[in-house]
Amino acid sequence: MLLIKNIGMLATAKGNEPLRGAAQHNGVTIMRDCAVLLNDETIQAVYENGSAPECGNVIDAGGALVTAGLVDAHTHLIFGGWRQHEVPLKLRGAGYLEILKAGGGILNTLTATRNASEDELYDRAKKALDEMLDHGITAVEAKSGYGLDVENELKQLRVIRRLKEEGGFNVIPTFMAAHAVPPEFKGDPDGYIEFICTKILPKVADDELCEFVDVFCETGVFDVEQSRKMLTYAQVYGFKTKIHADEIDAIGGSVLAGEIGATSAEHLIAVDDAGISSMAKGGTIACLLPGTSLYLNKEFAPARKFIEAGVPVAICTDFNPGSCPSDDLQLCMNLGYLKYRMTPEEVLSAVTINAACAVGRGDILGTVEPGKQADLVIWDAEDLDYLVYRMGTNKAKKVIMKGNIVK
Ligand code: NIG
Ligand code: FE
């Protein structure tokens, strides 16, 4: 047993379901003078108002704020190489899709990822996960999507498995071969989708290498019908689904997300009313990526509209070598507060329970309650307002993952 005592403020959502509408704010409970008892990997009990049992093994939180460990529900964690040389091009006005068409962007990372060994990819991803843990992020979704052929997509997914089994991280694997059309299928997105569905996906399923399947539904990448085909196949294989939708144009990706009951849709900067209402009906979570808006100098997604429409909002990094070379979810929380105009409580639900549900882990992650996994952060902060207000410093003081003190 391990007792975390002297918690000045404990801020947490309750339950296993995503918080939507007014509940995204009101569903966060603020408790004072708390203690949390951990039994190995699991939270045993939460005590309020100064009541706590005696325990030999104690961490003194020093009156600080404690929350559940943060969950980053959208990253492209496994990649070779960086793309710093593209930044001047972008600053000169070249668009994302223009760079992609010229063989840069995702295709640049494709080459570096294909050339990298499994060990190299593992070491790079582990470095990022260590950084994230140090910032209080205790669970991370990780996508493939820079291999774009049988061998290299499986290689990326095997790295994710190793990070979980060997590295001990909470990593949730997503198969995203439908991230771009590779050179082998240039000009033939239909042929490539057919190839993924019939040649890669069955192998991924055989080896149980993913939980989610994602597709980049966007002008110049995959259209709605190609995306529908990809995700329908995924569902037939029993996988849950996600969609990169309406990042640049509202071509129908968010509408599709709601129609097929996708767990989440991502980006959504250009989402229209039809997309928002389809997602509300389908119970789809909006995974918003403010770091990408910042980095690409784009608009920020209409978070308040989603909340008003009853769509649960999660905030994630989108960590990748192109559009968001940052794994700093704390910065995204600042942006959620300042740019999405979400309240500190809404931001907290967005990076804990809603993000946990976006990775299918609402039953074990995302809140500080008995029975949940013992993932907690003791913050160098006295309250939630401070947490979303201070920017550019790492505010995680102590981090506990599966009951282990990892920082
Ligand atoms: O989510 N939008 C598509 N994919 C990534 C970008 C990946 C890259 O540029 O390498 C994203 O932003
Ligand atoms: Fe992404």
Side-chain angles (χ1 to χ4, degrees):
M1 292 281 186
L2 172 65
L3 183 74
I4 306 169
K5 69 166 198 187
N6 200 9
I7 299 171
M9 176 185 281
L10 179 64
T12 182
K14 295 202 166 156
N16 302 347
E17 299 295 323
L19 296 181
R20 47 170 63 80
Q24 177 134 12
H25 173 96
N26 299 335
V28 172
T29 305
I30 305 283
M31 292 169 272
R32 308 270 172 188
D33 295 327
C34 297
V36 179
L37 186 63
L38 311 182
N39 182 4
D40 222 350
E41 292 195 5
T42 310
I43 298 172
Q44 172 87 16
V46 176
Y47 305 90
E48 281 186 72
N49 303 321
S51 65
E54 287 298 315
C55 181
N57 206 0
V58 166
I59 298 179
D60 189 333
L65 169 73
V66 168
T67 69
L70 308 185
V71 179
D72 189 345
H74 181 141
T75 81
H76 301 260
L77 179 69
I78 316 298
F79 56 85
W82 293 98
R83 303 217 302 268
Q84 63 271 40
H85 307 300
E86 272 172 21
V87 180
L89 269 178
K90 282 183 194 160
L91 291 174
R92 278 202 294 276
Y96 189 69
L97 295 176
E98 196 181 322
I99 294 175
L100 185 62
K101 252 192 189 155
I106 294 173
L107 295 178
N108 189 331
T109 302
L110 168 77
T111 309
T113 306
R114 285 184 178 178
N115 289 339
S117 71
E118 215 169 293
D119 284 344
E120 276 161 9
L121 292 176
Y122 179 86
D123 291 343
R124 290 174 62 102
K126 183 176 178 309
K127 184 165 179 248
L129 284 176
D130 284 334
E131 249 166 43
M132 292 167 99
L133 257 187
D134 189 60
H135 280 69
I137 302 160
T138 50
V140 176
E141 183 257 17
K143 301 175 198 293
S144 71
Y146 291 120
L148 311 190
D149 61 15
V150 178
E151 181 193 333
N152 290 289
E153 283 295 312
L154 294 178
K155 177 173 78 179
Q156 283 194 276
L157 292 172
R158 279 195 306 267
V159 170
I160 300 174
R161 173 173 286 175
R162 257 180 79 189
L163 289 164
K164 199 160 69 178
E165 291 178 356
E166 206 179 298
F169 296 99
N170 294 315
V171 206
I172 297 95
T174 296
F175 173 58
M176 196 182 177
H179 192 196
V181 179
E184 296 79 5
F185 285 88
K186 197 164 188 227
D188 183 17
D190 282 313
Y192 180 52
I193 290 286
E194 174 71 14
F195 178 77
I196 302 173
C197 293
T198 58
K199 297 285 191 284
I200 317 183
L201 192 61
K203 291 201 163 68
V204 172
D206 277 352
D207 294 349
E208 297 177 14
L209 279 168
C210 80
E211 292 180 34
F212 288 90
V213 174
D214 197 343
V215 56
F216 190 7
C217 180
E218 191 58 67
T219 309
V221 192
F222 299 105
D223 66 22
V224 173
E225 284 323 306
Q226 289 153 354
S227 303
R228 189 190 298 279
K229 174 169 169 176
M230 179 72 247
L231 297 178
T232 305
Y233 260 83
Q235 288 177 329
V236 168
Y237 276 96
F239 297 121
K240 290 173 278 188
T241 54
K242 294 176 173 289
I243 311 181
H244 279 59
D246 305 353
E247 177 180 359
I248 298 159
D249 296 316
I251 61 166
S254 49
V255 174
L256 174 65
E259 278 171 10
I260 64 167
T263 303
S264 65
E266 337 282 304
H267 286 289
L268 303 162
I269 294 171
V271 72
D272 57 9
D273 290 346
I276 294 177
S277 75
S278 174
M279 285 173 62
K281 264 193 220 119
T284 301
I285 297 169
C287 284
L288 305 184
L289 314 169
T292 307
S293 288
L294 178 76
Y295 212 82
L296 296 180
N297 216 356
K298 292 245 198 85
E299 296 289 305
F300 285 80
R304 292 246 59 91
K305 275 193 170 181
F306 282 112
I307 292 173
E308 274 154 33
V311 175
V313 170
I315 295 177
C316 332
T317 61
D318 194 22
F319 176 53
N320 73 73
S323 61
C324 191
S326 165
D327 53 27
D328 187 352
L329 191 56
Q330 289 185 34
L331 172 65
C332 294
M333 293 169 72
N334 297 126
L335 294 171
Y337 185 42
L338 297 168
K339 295 293 189 180
Y340 291 156
R341 298 182 174 274
M342 290 166 67
T343 66
E345 288 81 356
E346 286 171 342
V347 169
L348 181 71
S349 346
V351 292
T352 55
I353 186 64
N354 286 4
C357 292
V359 296
R361 297 282 192 284
D363 54 341
I364 54 162
L365 302 180
T367 72
V368 184
E369 291 179 287
K372 290 253 177 142
Q373 186 166 298
D375 291 358
L376 296 149
V377 186
I378 302 175
W379 296 98
D380 193 1
E382 61 190 33
D383 58 26
L384 262 189
D385 293 0
Y386 184 91
L387 189 60
V388 292
Y389 144 82
R390 282 296 305 279
M391 195 165 83
T393 53
N394 180 7
K395 297 162 291 280
K397 193 159 65 178
K398 266 200 186 321
V399 182
I400 296 162
M401 181 175 67
K402 293 186 206 160
N404 296 312
I405 304 162
V406 290
K407 177 185 187 179

